[in-house]
Amino acid sequence: MSPNSVAETVASLMPRARVELTELVAFKSVADFDQFPRSESEAAADWITAALRAEGFQDVALLDTPDGTQSVYGYLPGPAGAKTVLLYAHYDVQPPLDEGAWTTPPFELTERDGRWYGRGSADCKGGFIMHLLALRALKANGGVPVHVKVIVEGSEEQGTGGLERYAEEHPDLLTADTIVIGDTGNFRVGLPTVTSTLRGMTMMRVRIDTLEGNLHSGQFGGAAPDALGALIRVLDSLRAEDGSTTVDGLTDATSRWEGLQYDEAQFRQDAKVLDGVELIGSGTVADRIWARPAVTVLGIDCPPVVGATPSVQAGARALISLRVPPGVDAAEATKLLQAHLEAHTPWGARVSTEQIGQGQAFSADTTSPAYAAMAEAMAVAYPGEEMQYAGQGGSIPLCNTLAALYPQAEILLIGLSEPEAQIHAANESVSPQELERLSVTEALFLRNYAAS
């Protein structure tokens, strides 16, 4: 099997890949069933189940995980005595947010300016298509040289831990020599990258109550405690003057990232920061997004401006995300965040917190043989480029669960979520060229790894 023949096969499969990704993106598979019907996620899981069966996978199953969602599993046997590789992706997606901000409908894959737009196109339905392309290319060029397990999660974006708990309860299911997590991305388009660290995360709701009910702001304002004002003070306490995260007792605020650096001008462009607006925090950009904690206020429940009445608010609520770097225990960070919110609530207001998601940070062993096999594959798939190591500010809680269950397994993180993909935002997209090159990469990696 020559690298050229693999690349030619993948190129010939790209029209089919677009059709399949179009079908998969069409499912509104947001695993928050208060917002989107459960039937949409179930239909996406059924589509993936059928796709695996069509590729000859055995033991294909819908796994009912403890958080009430479904993951899809399949096993493709390889040659006798071959190594086993687990390929991971997830089919659940983030909500589309403001659909009016999308140039084209979020659940219709649309080509524009050389990219394919749609929710989940990069994160991470495209990751599943990448796995299919790699396996098809191998089948057409001598066969798949390893045993392959595929697991496609149904609730990764919610952080509710369904697949982690299922794996812990069924530890034999996902055993593998190497695990490829197809849910990160290149540092930039055309620069082959493996993600060597992930930040952990916790999500928490905080509610503040001060009155039995809303009051007229003219009659009572100035003395009656305002719950929304109290909430604003609490949220402001989570940041220093320069925007750095400040949670009482949380360390690593000055940690440094020693690997690939992120040029500040490039970051401003990638993040679409408005002219004249400063970045927050201190240290290098890589320090801030890969090596240090980061708090984000994800949402606030309060009256909208349109239709608001002149009232002192009796209650207010917010959803907070806290990302923590490797070396910081997410459970301990959760306790510190909860204690901070309670300690900084003013005026004796009543405060309650609810943790709704948590995942540990992850750090890979990049000296393992699988990384050498991946470096060789990336050098071929991306001529003239060498594999780079980068961090990832996001979280994939399953990584630490798999590392704990299978300590001898090598874990690699690749994927389609480079900066231009704008995952989790409006107008998410995938580069079809990256999909093609990374599919070639994965096929060559499996060949190299089988021979190592």
Side-chain angles (χ1 to χ4, degrees):
M1 176 181 69
S2 73
N4 287 341
S5 62
V6 169
E8 290 167 1
T9 300
V10 171
S12 72
L13 292 170
M14 288 301 293
R16 178 182 177 185
R18 180 178 175 179
V19 171
E20 291 177 323
L21 188 56
T22 299
E23 294 174 358
L24 198 48
V25 164
F27 298 113
K28 300 176 181 179
S29 51
V30 178
D32 181 348
F33 303 134
D34 291 332
Q35 296 187 68
F36 288 83
R38 181 184 297 271
S39 59
E40 290 287 328
S41 289
E42 291 175 343
D46 289 341
W47 190 97
I48 291 166
T49 298
L52 291 179
R53 286 180 174 148
E55 293 300 320
F57 276 76
Q58 301 176 3
D59 305 324
V60 178
L62 286 168
L63 311 179
D64 294 317
T65 57
D67 63 352
T69 64
Q70 294 179 316
S71 293
V72 185
Y73 169 82
Y75 172 68
L76 184 68
K83 299 172 183 176
T84 299
V85 177
L86 174 67
L87 305 179
Y88 167 91
H90 64 84
Y91 69 83
D92 70 303
V93 298
Q94 287 284 342
L97 303 175
D98 178 10
E99 295 199 26
W102 287 75
T103 303
T104 50
F107 296 104
E108 294 180 18
L109 193 73
T110 307
E111 184 170 5
R112 190 168 71 252
D113 299 325
R115 296 183 68 93
W116 298 345
Y117 286 80
R119 177 57 92 219
S121 56
D123 183 27
C124 176
K125 293 176 177 179
F128 177 67
I129 300 299
M130 176 184 74
H131 295 325
L132 289 183
L133 284 170
L135 296 175
R136 288 168 180 164
L138 289 171
K139 286 181 180 179
N141 291 275
V144 180
V146 294
H147 304 296
V148 175
K149 295 180 179 180
V150 166
I151 186 71
V152 189
E153 188 173 4
S155 58
E156 190 274 342
E157 298 290 8
Q158 296 300 311
T160 46
L163 183 55
E164 293 110 271
R165 303 293 82 76
Y166 191 94
E168 290 166 350
E169 294 167 4
H170 304 81
D172 293 336
L173 184 70
L174 302 181
T175 54
D177 298 295
T178 280
I179 300 167
V180 178
I181 306 289
D183 191 25
T184 58
N186 287 341
F187 182 68
R188 58 175 169 77
V189 171
L191 184 65
T193 311
V194 292
T195 299
S196 56
T197 68
L198 298 167
R199 287 193 293 198
M201 57 80 68
T202 185
M203 283 200 294
M204 185 171 290
R205 292 192 182 110
V206 56
R207 180 177 180 88
I208 292 181
D209 293 287
T210 56
L211 305 165
E212 291 185 1
N214 288 0
L215 299 173
H216 189 289
S217 62
Q219 184 177 4
F220 294 97
D226 173 4
L228 181 54
L231 177 63
I232 291 170
R233 281 183 171 250
V234 171
L235 299 179
D236 184 60
S237 75
L238 293 168
R239 294 191 186 278
E241 187 68 24
D242 67 357
S244 300
T245 293
T246 54
V247 175
D248 295 343
L250 190 62
T251 58
D252 286 323
T254 59
S255 296
R256 304 296 300 272
W257 176 262
E258 301 298 338
L260 182 68
Q261 292 298 311
Y262 205 146
D263 177 74
E264 185 168 324
Q266 183 64 53
F267 178 83
R268 292 183 66 89
Q269 180 179 330
D270 292 341
K272 294 179 171 55
V273 181
L274 299 178
D275 289 344
V277 178
E278 300 175 359
L279 301 186
I280 62 173
S282 61
T284 69
V285 171
D287 293 339
R288 290 177 246 183
I289 64 174
W290 298 335
R292 297 181 183 176
V295 70
T296 306
V297 179
L298 303 181
I300 298 178
D301 286 339
C302 61
V305 172
V306 176
T309 61
S311 301
V312 178
Q313 298 300 313
R317 190 172 68 150
L319 177 62
I320 300 167
S321 165
L322 175 63
R323 306 280 181 167
V324 293
V328 177
D329 178 65
E332 180 63 21
T334 299
K335 294 177 183 177
L336 292 173
L337 176 60
Q338 181 181 31
H340 180 105
L341 296 172
E342 293 171 352
H344 288 266
T345 298
W347 315 325
R350 296 181 183 178
V351 57
S352 60
T353 59
E354 177 190 5
Q355 180 195 336
I356 62 168
Q358 181 179 286
Q360 295 291 353
F362 172 77
S363 184
D365 175 12
T366 59
T367 65
S368 63
Y371 278 83
M374 183 62 77
E376 182 183 347
M378 285 185 162
V380 173
Y382 291 82
E385 299 287 351
E386 292 185 2
M387 183 176 77
Q388 302 292 318
Y389 299 93
Q392 173 65 263
S395 306
I396 306 175
L398 182 66
C399 283
N400 266 78
T401 299
L402 296 177
L405 288 174
Y406 319 119
Q408 303 306 314
E410 303 172 69
I411 301 179
L412 301 96
L413 296 101
I414 62 173
L416 302 166
S417 299
E418 36 74 29
E420 292 181 45
Q422 294 193 122
I423 64 171
H424 294 202
N427 297 305
E428 176 184 346
S429 66
V430 68
S431 161
Q433 291 76 29
E434 289 288 75
L435 173 59
E436 183 174 340
R437 286 182 290 202
L438 282 166
S439 299
V440 173
T441 295
E442 185 165 275
L444 296 179
F445 161 75
L446 292 174
R447 183 198 65 176
N448 296 344
Y449 182 64
S452 66

